[in-house]
Amino acid sequence: MSDERPAIEVDGLVKRFGDVEAVRGIGFSVRPGEVFGFLGPNGAGKSTTINMLCTLLRPSAGRARVAGHDVVAERDDVRRNIGLVFQDPTLDGYLTGEQNLRFHAELYGVPRALTADRMRQVLEMVGLWDRRGDRVETYSGGMKRRLEIARGLLHSPRVLFLDEPTVGLDPQTRASIWEYIRHLKDAEQITIFLTTHYMDEAEYCDRIAIMDSGRIVALDTPGALKEGVGKDRVQIRTADDTAAIAALRERFDLEATLAEGVVTFAVPSGEAFVPRLFAELGVPIVSVSVSRPSLDDVFMKFTGSTIRDAEGSATDWMRMAMRGRR
Ligand SMILES: Nc1ncnc2c1ncn2[C@@H]1O[C@H](COP(=O)(O)OP(=O)(O)O)[C@@H](O)[C@H]1O
Ligand SMILES: [Mg+2]
C-alpha cells in the first residue's frame, strides 16, 4: 500500500448514547507517520472517537477508515493493524513486565519465533528491559504507562492509539512519556493518534484537533493555531496603573486589564510595540514582558472559555445527569 494514503480517514462520524450526542459529525484525516492529537476538556467526546476508530464502539452515522480499512465492514483488519493504550491501566500486577507482554503476544498471534526479539526491542525502547523480570505492581506509574505503550507496539501496528497517555502522572514523568512517544515516531515509522486535556501536551503533536462538545472547532499545527490568534500578550508593571490604562486607551486605542499589579493587553506584534510604548505612554514603566499566544488563547478563541472552565461545566453537567438518572 502506498504511504500517500491517509492512515486515518474520518467523515461525518457521529455517536449517540440515547439522547446524548457525544460525537456530532466530525471529519479529519491523518497522514502516515503523523503524531495527531485530540485536545479537549473532559466530556468533549475524545474517548468516544478513539473507541469508534478502534472498533470498540459502532458509529451511529458516518464513516471511518484506519490503515486503509473500514472500521465497521473490515473490523478484524483494522484490529490487526492497530495498537491501543487505554485511558485506564489494564496491566496484570502479579505478572512481570515480560509475562504481561508475552500474554499479549499470544493474544495477537505474534509468531513465537519473532516474540523474543520483538519483546526485547519494545522493552528497550521504553527503557524497561532491565526491569522485565519484576512484578508490575513494583513499577512506578510512569513505568506502568511505558510498559503499556510497549505492549501496544508489540505486534508492530501501523497506527497506535493512546487515550490520555499521561493522565494522572507528575509533570516530570509526563515529559519522559512524551520523549518516548516522539522517539517512537522515528523508530517505528508509526502513526500516532492520541487524546489529551493538557494544553501543554498538545504542543508535542504535529497537528491537533480541538474538540469541544462533540465537535472539532479547529484543526491545524500548534504553531498555525497560535498564529491564528494573531496577537501577542504584553504585560507591564507601572508606577501608576490607573493612569497607564487610561493612556493605553487614549493614545493607543487599546483596552487593558489590571490584575495583581500587572497591566495586560494584546497587540499584533508585541516586541515592535515596546519601544513606542516606552516613548509615548507618559507613565513610568517598571517592567515589561511580551509573550506569544498560547494554546490556552487558541482554545479561548474557538470555544469562548478556558479549558478549565469547560471541564468544570462538563463535570457539573455530568453530575446533574447522574442525579437525573437515579
Ligand atoms: N457508554 C456511554 N453511555 C452514555 N454516555 C456516554 C458513554 N460514553 C460516553 N458518554 C458521554 O459522552 C460524552 C463524551 O464522553 P467521552 O468521549 O468519554 O469524552 P472525553 O473522552 O473527551 O472526556 C460525555 O457526555 C459522556 O458522558
Ligand atoms: Mg476520555
Side-chain angles (χ1 to χ4, degrees), residues 137-158:
E137 63 194 2
T138 68
Y139 287 15
S140 69
M143 288 165 71
K144 285 180 188 157
R145 225 61 268 253
R146 273 146 54 197
L147 185 65
E148 294 199 293
I149 292 172
R151 186 181 59 183
L153 291 168
L154 200 56
H155 56 288
S156 304
R158 308 229 325 260

Side-chain angles (χ1 to χ4, degrees), residues 19-81:
D19 292 342
V20 177
E21 206 171 27
V23 175
R24 306 183 175 191
I26 60 170
F28 60 93
S29 122
V30 180
R31 289 187 290 270
E34 221 178 350
V35 177
F36 189 90
F38 254 36
L39 172 70
N42 282 326
K46 305 182 299 295
S47 292
T48 303
T49 302
I50 256 194
N51 289 340
M52 286 191 280
L53 297 181
C54 292
T55 78
L56 298 174
L57 270 180
R58 203 187 159 93
S60 306
R63 287 164 179 284
R65 296 179 80 78
V66 174
H69 301 288
D70 186 277
V71 296
V72 176
E74 301 168 290
R75 203 169 85 155
D76 293 343
D77 296 302
V78 171
R79 289 188 176 186
R80 250 193 300 282
N81 282 290

Side-chain angles (χ1 to χ4, degrees), residues 15-18 20-23 38 40-51 57 87 163-164 195-197 211 214 311 314 317-318 321 325:
K15 183 66 193 182
R16 289 181 212 100
F17 297 108
V20 177
E21 206 171 27
V23 175
F38 254 36
N42 282 326
K46 305 182 299 295
S47 292
T48 303
T49 302
I50 256 194
N51 289 340
L57 270 180
Q87 188 166 340
D163 197 3
E164 307 260 0
T195 70
T196 181
H197 67 270
M211 194 171 202
E311 297 221 308
W317 183 89
M318 274 192 299
R325 241 176 251 162

Side-chain angles (χ1 to χ4, degrees), residues 203-267:
E203 299 273 357
Y204 293 102
C205 300
D206 296 319
R207 286 190 304 152
I208 55 177
I210 297 182
M211 194 171 202
D212 188 40
S213 305
R215 291 200 172 84
I216 292 176
V217 296
L219 195 167
D220 213 325
T221 62
L225 286 171
K226 285 186 282 186
E227 261 168 42
V229 172
K231 286 182 177 172
D232 294 338
R233 183 189 302 174
V234 181
Q235 298 191 302
I236 55 174
R237 288 178 184 274
T238 71
D240 182 346
D241 294 333
T242 312
I245 290 171
L248 283 166
R249 187 178 301 128
E250 283 154 24
R251 291 180 203 169
F252 301 99
D253 199 23
L254 291 170
E255 285 304 319
T257 59
L258 175 66
E260 291 166 26
V262 179
V263 176
T264 303
F265 56 92
V267 288

Side-chain angles (χ1 to χ4, degrees), residues 41-313:
N42 282 326
K46 305 182 299 295
S47 292
T48 303
T49 302
I50 256 194
N51 289 340
M52 286 191 280
L53 297 181
C54 292
T55 78
L56 298 174
L57 270 180
R58 203 187 159 93
S60 306
R63 287 164 179 284
R65 296 179 80 78
V66 174
H69 301 288
D70 186 277
V71 296
V72 176
E74 301 168 290
R75 203 169 85 155
D76 293 343
D77 296 302
V78 171
R79 289 188 176 186
R80 250 193 300 282
N81 282 290
I82 63 173
L84 177 56
V85 178
F86 291 100
Q87 188 166 340
D88 300 313
T90 57
L91 294 164
D92 193 331
Y94 289 108
L95 300 182
T96 66
E98 192 168 19
Q99 286 167 336
N100 267 283
L101 294 198
R102 181 155 291 135
F103 180 70
H104 182 86
E106 277 170 25
L107 209 64
Y108 268 85
V110 178
R112 280 273 163 91
L114 298 181
T115 303
D117 276 353
R118 184 62 183 159
M119 280 208 321
R120 177 166 192 148
Q121 209 174 9
V122 294
L123 281 169
E124 279 179 346
M125 196 178 337
V126 299
L128 286 175
W129 176 247
D130 294 340
R131 294 293 303 270
R132 68 188 181 283
D134 298 343
R135 280 189 183 189
V136 166
E137 63 194 2
T138 68
Y139 287 15
S140 69
M143 288 165 71
K144 285 180 188 157
R145 225 61 268 253
R146 273 146 54 197
L147 185 65
E148 294 199 293
I149 292 172
R151 186 181 59 183
L153 291 168
L154 200 56
H155 56 288
S156 304
R158 308 229 325 260
V159 184
L160 180 67
F161 290 93
L162 301 151
D163 197 3
E164 307 260 0
T166 61
V167 76
L169 300 173
D170 62 86
Q172 214 174 337
T173 310
R174 277 168 54 193
S176 91
I177 296 284
W178 271 103
E179 247 172 64
Y180 289 112
I181 293 174
R182 294 294 313 183
H183 170 68
L184 260 182
K185 179 188 144 123
D186 306 323
E188 297 275 307
Q189 288 152 1
I190 199 172
T191 306
I192 298 172
F193 182 100
L194 59 93
T195 70
T196 181
H197 67 270
Y198 295 123
M199 277 292 171
D200 54 329
E201 297 200 335
E203 299 273 357
Y204 293 102
C205 300
D206 296 319
R207 286 190 304 152
I208 55 177
I210 297 182
M211 194 171 202
D212 188 40
S213 305
R215 291 200 172 84
I216 292 176
V217 296
L219 195 167
D220 213 325
T221 62
L225 286 171
K226 285 186 282 186
E227 261 168 42
V229 172
K231 286 182 177 172
D232 294 338
R233 183 189 302 174
V234 181
Q235 298 191 302
I236 55 174
R237 288 178 184 274
T238 71
D240 182 346
D241 294 333
T242 312
I245 290 171
L248 283 166
R249 187 178 301 128
E250 283 154 24
R251 291 180 203 169
F252 301 99
D253 199 23
L254 291 170
E255 285 304 319
T257 59
L258 175 66
E260 291 166 26
V262 179
V263 176
T264 303
F265 56 92
V267 288
S269 50
E271 273 151 32
F273 182 73
V274 168
R276 256 191 81 201
L277 185 68
F278 273 89
E280 297 174 31
L281 188 67
V283 178
I285 297 170
V286 180
S287 71
V288 57
S289 84
V290 177
S291 51
R292 299 264 173 264
S294 68
L295 283 173
D296 289 286
D297 299 321
V298 174
F299 192 82
M300 178 65 114
K301 174 184 165 184
F302 285 106
T303 68
S305 65
T306 68
I307 199 161
R308 268 202 210 134
D309 290 343
E311 297 221 308
S313 60

